[in-house]
Each structure stands twice: as structure tokens, then as C-alpha cells.
């Protein structure tokens, strides 16, 4: 492997890790192996700390491909609690309102999900990395400031009901770049004349790469520590501190 010229690693991001945590762990392992203090490492497509699954990490010159890689179609499996909302649309914040669910049937959910297939408009969550006048929306939201974000056009290629109860559903979603599954949970809850928020999320595929082909963080570090390393011409390895 040649981490300077560029490698692409597919990682199964652990629960409660930020995307930055995963990048930092991989970068540190490479720096230790090569005995260097600086290396460009980035990721294609952020995952929230409460989400798991496919995350693409690029090193060296492969970071130039980040825009291309994160544009790939993504697949998720999500569980949505019905009958309650949270400000962040997931478990990061506490429930702020409750709604009835007695009217929700399997057939109603199927009919409602069909409304979300194809081109849709979606307003990103206030608790997101979107920027407003140079400020991150989630930082404004955590300070209690009003956050107004514009709707974006997205494409939902597939949306499938995997499990149903009147108080929780599990769905599989294949969608375009920029789709917030937390916001989809919010909108599905509203469309059901109830409330909804995300309780679990797993990114199961990016482009043609399924999560079954991904490395755990520990496996990625072991690969970095044990694989044969190719180095560019004139590259000097120094002894680590």
C-alpha cells in the first residue's frame, strides 16, 4: 500500500465515534508506521456519532477523489420511533413532544412511504453541519439560536418497510448525496399525523461497496501496521519520537 500517493479505506464506523475520530485514528496509525508528523487524510461523507456503517477514508493524493466518492448513492437501514419528536430528530436530544399512534397501521405506513420515493424537498436538520453565514447550524442550535435552513432537492431511489409496529418502523433507504435520514424520520412522522425521530441508523452501502466489505477500525489499524508499504522516490522515513 502507498499511503502517500493515496489509498482508499472502507471503514465500518463504530457507534458513538465521530467521523473525525475515525480519521484521526487512521491518520495516527499511518504516521506512526511511516515515522512522519504530517499526512493528509480525509473522509467522504460524514456519519453522525449515533450512526454506524460504511465510511470512506482517503489518504494522501487520494483525498482529491473525496467529492467524487461522496457523490455515490448511499443505502441505509434506519429505525424510527413514532409518536414522539426530539429537536435533533434523533437520540442526541430529549423528547420534546408526544403524539398519538393508535391510528397508524401497516397499510398506512406503506402508503406514506410511497410519498417519499423519487425527487423530494427536504429541509436539513437544525442540528447539522450546514452553514448559515459561515456558522455551523448545530452550534447555533445548541446555543438556542433560531436556525433557518432552505429546502434541498434530493432523490430517494428506494424506500422499503422492513419492520412495523404502531410505535416504531424500520426502513431501508437508497438515496442521493446530502440526504439526512434524521430529517426523513421527522417528515415520515409528520406525514403519518404523528411524530417521529431516529433511534438507530446504519449506512449499509456507498456506491457499490457494502458494509460487509468494510474493515473495523481495529482491522484497519492492523492492516496499516502489518502490510507492505510502498514509498515514493526520495521519501525518507524518520524514527518516531
Amino acid at each position: 500500500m502507498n499511503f502517500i500517493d493515496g489509498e482508499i479505506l472502507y471503514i465500518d464506523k463504530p457507534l458513538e465515534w465521530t467521523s473525525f475520530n475515525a480519521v484521526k485514528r487512521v491518520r495516527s496509525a499511518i504516521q506512526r508506521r511511516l515515522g512522519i508528523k504530517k499526512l493528509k487524510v480525509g473522509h467522504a461523507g460524514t456519519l453522525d456519532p449515533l450512526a454506524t456503517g460504511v465510511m470512506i477514508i482517503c489518504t494522501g493524493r487520494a483525498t482529491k477523489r473525496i467529492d467524487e466518492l461522496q457523490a455515490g448513492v448511499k443505502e441505509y437501514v434506519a429505525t424510527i420511533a413514532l409518536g414522539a419528536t426530539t429537536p435533533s430528530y434523533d437520540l442526541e436530544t430529549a423528547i420534546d413532544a408526544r403524539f398519538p399512534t393508535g391510528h397508524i397501521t401497516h397499510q398506512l405506513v406503506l402508503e406514506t412511504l410511497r410519498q417519499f420515493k423519487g425527487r423530494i424537498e427536504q429541509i436539513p436538520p437544525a442540528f447539522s453541519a450546514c452553514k448559515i453565514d459561515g456558522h455551523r447550524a448545530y452550534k447555533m442550535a445548541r446555543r438556542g439560536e433560531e436556525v433557518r435552513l432552505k429546502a434541498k432537492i434530493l432523490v430517494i431511489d428506494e424506500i422499503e418497510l422492513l419492520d412495523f409496529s404502531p410505535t416504531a418502523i424500520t426502513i431501508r433507504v437508497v438515496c442521493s448525496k446530502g440526504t439526512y435520514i434524521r430529517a426523513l424520520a421527522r417528515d415520515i412522522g409528520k406525514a403519518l399525523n404523528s411524530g417521529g425521530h431516529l433511534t438507530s441508523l446504519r449506512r449499509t452501502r456507498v456506491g457499490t461497496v457494502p458494509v460487509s466489505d468494510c474493515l473495523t477500525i481495529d482491522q484497519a489499524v492492523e492492516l496499516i501496521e502489518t502490510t507492505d508499504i510502498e514509498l515514493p522516490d526520495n521519501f525518507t522515513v524518520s524514527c518516531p519520537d
Side-chain angles (χ1 to χ4, degrees), residues 109-122:
V109 171
L110 289 176
E111 292 171 358
T112 301
L113 293 182
R114 281 197 284 268
Q115 300 172 23
F116 291 91
K117 187 174 180 180
R119 288 171 61 85
I120 65 168
E121 283 193 356
Q122 184 185 83

Side-chain angles (χ1 to χ4, degrees), residues 7-11 22-23 26 41-44 55-59:
E7 294 289 347
I8 299 171
L9 300 174
Y10 293 90
I11 304 295
V23 168
V26 169
V41 180
H43 67 278
M55 188 177 136
I56 305 173
I57 295 182
C58 301
T59 78

Side-chain angles (χ1 to χ4, degrees), residues 15-209:
L15 184 66
E16 297 184 348
W17 281 51
T18 66
S19 298
F20 176 78
N21 290 152
V23 168
K24 183 179 179 181
R25 181 74 181 278
V26 169
R27 181 194 296 116
S28 296
I30 298 171
Q31 288 172 332
R32 285 196 307 271
R33 178 70 194 278
L34 297 183
I36 58 177
K37 294 184 177 180
K38 290 185 178 181
L39 176 66
K40 195 169 185 179
V41 180
H43 67 278
T46 300
L47 274 177
D48 292 333
L50 296 180
T52 64
V54 183
M55 188 177 136
I56 305 173
I57 295 182
C58 301
T59 78
R61 297 183 182 94
T63 55
K64 295 178 181 179
R65 296 188 58 194
I66 283 177
D67 287 345
E68 166 202 340
L69 293 167
Q70 68 185 7
V73 170
K74 298 173 179 64
E75 179 186 73
Y76 297 90
V77 172
T79 298
I80 301 168
L82 302 174
T85 57
T86 72
S88 60
Y89 314 143
D90 65 5
L91 296 177
E92 181 182 341
T93 53
I95 290 172
D96 60 359
R98 295 188 182 274
F99 304 87
T101 60
H103 64 287
I104 298 176
T105 65
H106 186 272
Q107 185 60 34
L108 178 60
V109 171
L110 289 176
E111 292 171 358
T112 301
L113 293 182
R114 281 197 284 268
Q115 300 172 23
F116 291 91
K117 187 174 180 180
R119 288 171 61 85
I120 65 168
E121 283 193 356
Q122 184 185 83
I123 299 174
F127 286 79
S128 69
C130 294
K131 286 188 176 182
I132 302 174
D133 297 328
H135 302 283
R136 295 290 185 185
Y138 71 87
K139 291 184 178 180
M140 297 172 63
R142 287 171 182 164
R143 291 195 297 263
E145 299 175 19
E146 184 178 15
V147 176
R148 290 182 176 272
L149 294 168
K150 295 180 180 179
K152 296 181 179 180
I153 301 296
L154 306 168
V155 177
I156 305 293
D157 295 307
E158 299 177 41
I159 186 164
E160 176 187 6
L161 181 62
L162 300 179
D163 194 27
F164 165 82
S165 80
T167 57
I169 59 173
T170 298
I171 60 175
R172 182 183 68 88
V173 180
V174 179
C175 57
S176 63
K177 170 190 173 184
T179 303
Y180 282 93
I181 306 299
R182 286 182 288 135
L184 186 62
R186 169 203 64 196
D187 296 341
I188 289 172
K190 285 183 180 178
L192 289 168
N193 292 316
S194 185
H197 65 280
L198 202 63
T199 57
S200 72
L201 180 64
R202 186 156 175 76
R203 185 189 282 164
T204 50
R205 179 168 59 86
V206 174
T208 61
V209 179

